[in-house]
C-alpha cells in the first residue's frame, strides 16, 4: 500500500511517502515550522513527489495527524489531505500524531505502554496512556491542569513528550523527547486501515473547548 | 501550466472564502457566470456568544470545507480537470480562519496542477456589484461610487478604472453592521442585529427618537467621507439607561429610529460624494446592503442625481465565494501554488494597490 502522510502537530513538521511493501522504504521531508503558516508544506511535498516519482493515482491512502498539538498546523494538515485527496477520490485516514509516534517508540524499545504528555497551553497538559499494540483502540487523551500531573502519573511507565522544557516548567516532569513523524502516523493509519478500524473524525484533537 | 503560471487566463475557477464566520465555495465559468455557489453560515454557532468567536469560526471551517467541496463539484456537474484556477480569500479577516481557506486552496491547486490567487476580501465585495444570478458579470458605468457596508467594514470607494479603487473614506470606529449588532444587543434583540432591527423597524416610526447621525458635515477635508457610529450606540445606551421600559413599550419605534440613524449617517456621505464627484453609478455591497431601508434610500439618491444604480444582489451581499471568484477573474493575477511566500494577510486594506495581491 502506498501512503502519503502529513504531520504538522509540532514545530517539527514533515511529509512522508510510505510504501508498506517495503518495511524500511519510505521517503520523508521535514522542516521547522515556527510561524504556523505552513508555507513550506507544499514545497516539501513537491520535493518529496519529485524524489519519489510517484503519481497521485498510485496512492492508496492519504493520512494526516490529528494531534494533540498546534491547532493551526493540525488544521492545515487535515485540510491539505482532504483537498489533495478529493479529485482522485483517494481514501483518507486521520489518526493521533502522538499515539502513532509513541507506538513506534514502544515497538523499538520493546515496551508495552507509555504515558505521553504535552503542553496544552493555558496552564494545562494533555496526557494519554498509549499501548504498543497497534490493534488497541485510539488513545483517550485528556486535558488536566499542570499541577495535577504529579498525582496522575503512573509509576513504572516511560514518560514521552515533544515539549520537554515546557512540561518540566509546568508539571516538574522529566520526560523522554519524542516528536511525531509522518512515517509513524502513516504506519498507524495503515494498521487501522488493515484492521478496518472505525475512522476517526477529520478534525483535530483540540481537547480544549473553543471558548 | 508553465513555471507555475497559466499560458492564458483560467476558464473555470473555483473560489474559497473563509475570512470570518461564513464558509463558502463557488465555481465561476469563463463568462463570469456562477453555476454553483454554497455558503455555510455559522451564525447558530456564534449566536450564544453574541458575536463571532475566532476559534469557533476556524473549527467550523475545518468541518465544513471538505464536504462542501464535494457538494459544489457534484452540483456543478464538473470533472475535476475542468478547474483551471483556484482563488481564496487572503485577507483581511481572522487569521486562523484565513489559514483554513489558504491551506485548502493551495492543496487543491497543487493537486490539479493549476494556478492560484489570493484575493482581497474587500475587493471581492466591491466587485460583487457586477454579479448576476443567471447571467455573467455585468458592466458598470464608471466612475462608480461604492458604499461597502458590512459587519466588519464601512467604506466609501471610488472605482475610476475597472476593479481599481480609491478609498474616499471609512468608519473611524464601529462598522455599520457592528453598530446594528450592538444596538440590537442593547434593545435585547438577537444576533445578528441587522436583520433583527430591520424586522422590528417595519412597524415603527423612524422619527420617534432623535439619534445622532455621526460626524458633522463640516469635518476636516480628510474626514469628509468618513463615518462614525460610536456616538449613536452611546446615545441609545444613555436613552435606555434613563428609560429601560422603552425596550418593551416602544421597541418598534426604537428599532426604526436607530436603523434610520445608521442609514442616514451612510447616506449623508453618499449624497455629499454624489454632489461633488463626477459619478456615473451609485453602488452598494456588503452584508448591510441587504437592508431594505438602505436600498430604498440609495435608489432614491441615484434617481435624484441621475446616475445608474448597482446594488449587489441580496444573494451575494453576505460573505460568499462568488465574489472571490469575480475578483480573481477581474484582476487575473495568478501564481504557482507551491510558492512558499504565499501567506494570509489578516490586516490587508483596500486601496490603489489592490490590483496587485501578490507581494
Amino acid at each position: 500500500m502506498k501512503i502519503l502522510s502529513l504531520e504538522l502537530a509540532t514545530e517539527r513538521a514533515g511529509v512522508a511517502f510510505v510504501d508498506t511493501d517495503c518495511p524500511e522504504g519510505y521517503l520523508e521531508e521535514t522542516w521547522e515550522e515556527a510561524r504556523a503558516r505552513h508555507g513550506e508544506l507544499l514545497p516539501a511535498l513537491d520535493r518529496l513527489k519529485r524524489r519519489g516519482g510517484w503519481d497521485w493515482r498510485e496512492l492508496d491512502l492519504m493520512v494526516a495527524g490529528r494531534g494533540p498539538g498546534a491547532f493551526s498546523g493540525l488544521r492545515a494538515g487535515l485540510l491539505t489531505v482532504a483537498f489533495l485527496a478529493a479529485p482522485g477520490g483517494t481514501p483518507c485516514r486521520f489518526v493521533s500524531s502522538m499515539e502513532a509516534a509513541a507506538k513506534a517508540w514502544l515497538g523499538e524499545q520493546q515496551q508495552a505502554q507509555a504515558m505521553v504528555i504535552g503542553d496544552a497551553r493555558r496552564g494545562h497538559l494533555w496526557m494519554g496512556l498509549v499501548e504498543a499494540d497497534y490493534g488497541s483502540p485510539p488513545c483517550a487523551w485528556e486535558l488536566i491542569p499542570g499541577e495535577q500531573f504529579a498525582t496522575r502519573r503512573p509509576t513504572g511507565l516511560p514518560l514521552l513528550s515533544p515539549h520537554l522544557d515546557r512540561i518540566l516548567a509546568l508539571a516538574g516532569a522529566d520526560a523522554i523527547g519524542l516528536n511525531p513523524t509522518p512515517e509513524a502516523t502513516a504506519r498507524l493509519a495503515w494498521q487501522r486501515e488493515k484492521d478496518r478500524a472505525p475512522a476517526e473524525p477529520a478534525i483535530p484533537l483540540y481537547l480544549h473547548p473553543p471558548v | 501550466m508553465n513555471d507555475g503560471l497559466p499560458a492564458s487566463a483560467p476558464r473555470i475557477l473555483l473560489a474559497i472564502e473563509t475570512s470570518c464566520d461564513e464558509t463558502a465555495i463557488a465555481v465561476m465559468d469563463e463568462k463570469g457566470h456562477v453555476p454553483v455557489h454554497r455558503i455555510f453560515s455559522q451564525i447558530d454557532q456564534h449566536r450564544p456568544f453574541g458575536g463571532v468567536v475566532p476559534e469557533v469560526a476556524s473549527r467550523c471551517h475545518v468541518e465544513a470545507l471538505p464536504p462542501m467541496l464535494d457538494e459544489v463539484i457534484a452540483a456543478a456537474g464538473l470533472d475535476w480537470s475542468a478547474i483551471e484556477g483556484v482563488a481564496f480569500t487572503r485577507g483581511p479577516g481572522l487569521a486562523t480562519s484565513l489559514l483554513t481557506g489558504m491551506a485548502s486552496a493551495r492543496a487543491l491547486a497543487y493537486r490539479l496542477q493549476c494556478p492560484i490567487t489570493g484575493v482581497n476580501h474587500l475587493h471581492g465585495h466591491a466587485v460583487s456589484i457586477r454579479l448576476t444570478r443567471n447571467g455573467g458579470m455585468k458592466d458598470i458605468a464608471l466612475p462608480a461610487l461604492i458604499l461597502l457596508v458590512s459587519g466588519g467594514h464601512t467604506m466609501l470607494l471610488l472605482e475610476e478604472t475597472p476593479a481599481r479603487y480609491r478609498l474616499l473614506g471609512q468608519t473611524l470606529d464601529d462598522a455599520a453592521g457592528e453598530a446594528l449588532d450592538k444596538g440590537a444587543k442593547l434593545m435585547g434583540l438577537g444576533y445578528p442585529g441587522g436583520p433583527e432591527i430591520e424586522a422590528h423597524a417595519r412597524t415603527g416610526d423612524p422619527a420617534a427618537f432623535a439619534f445622532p447621525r455621526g460626524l458633522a458635515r463640516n469635518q476636516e477635508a480628510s474626514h469628509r467621507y468618513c463615518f462614525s457610529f460610536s456616538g449613536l450606540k452611546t446615545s441609545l445606551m444613555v436613552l435606555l439607561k434613563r428609560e429601560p421600559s422603552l425596550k418593551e413599550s416602544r421597541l418598534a419605534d426604537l428599532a426604526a429610529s436607530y436603523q434610520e440613524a445608521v442609514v442616514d449617517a451612510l447616506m449623508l456621505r453618499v449624497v455629499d460624494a454624489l454632489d461633488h464627484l463626477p459619478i456615473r453609478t451609485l453602488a452598494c455591497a456588503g452584508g448591510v446592503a441587504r437592508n431594505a431601508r438602505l436600498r430604498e434610500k440609495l435608489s432614491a439618491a441615484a434617481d435624484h442625481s441621475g446616475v445608474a444604480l448597482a446594488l449587489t444582489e441580496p444573494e451575494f451581499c453576505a460573505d460568499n465565494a462568488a465574489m472571490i471568484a469575480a475578483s480573481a477573474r477581474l484582476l487575473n493575477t495568478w501564481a504557482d501554488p507551491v510558492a512558499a511566500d504565499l501567506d494570509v494577510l489578516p490586516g490587508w486594506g483596500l486601496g490603489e494597490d489592490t490590483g496587485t495581491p501578490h507581494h
Side-chain angles (χ1 to χ4, degrees), chain B residues 280-303:
Chain B
R280 294 178 65 199
T281 301
L282 172 60
C284 186
V288 181
R290 272 194 298 213
N291 181 281
R293 183 66 174 149
L294 178 59
R295 294 175 88 88
E296 186 186 317
K297 288 207 167 190
L298 287 164
S299 177
D303 276 352

Side-chain angles (χ1 to χ4, degrees), chain A residues 6 8 38 41 71-81, chain B residues 99 103:
Chain A
L6 275 61
L8 307 177
H38 299 284
L41 172 55
F71 292 176
S72 290
L74 298 174
R75 289 177 186 130
L78 293 165
L79 287 170
T80 298
V81 159
Chain B
L99 285 167

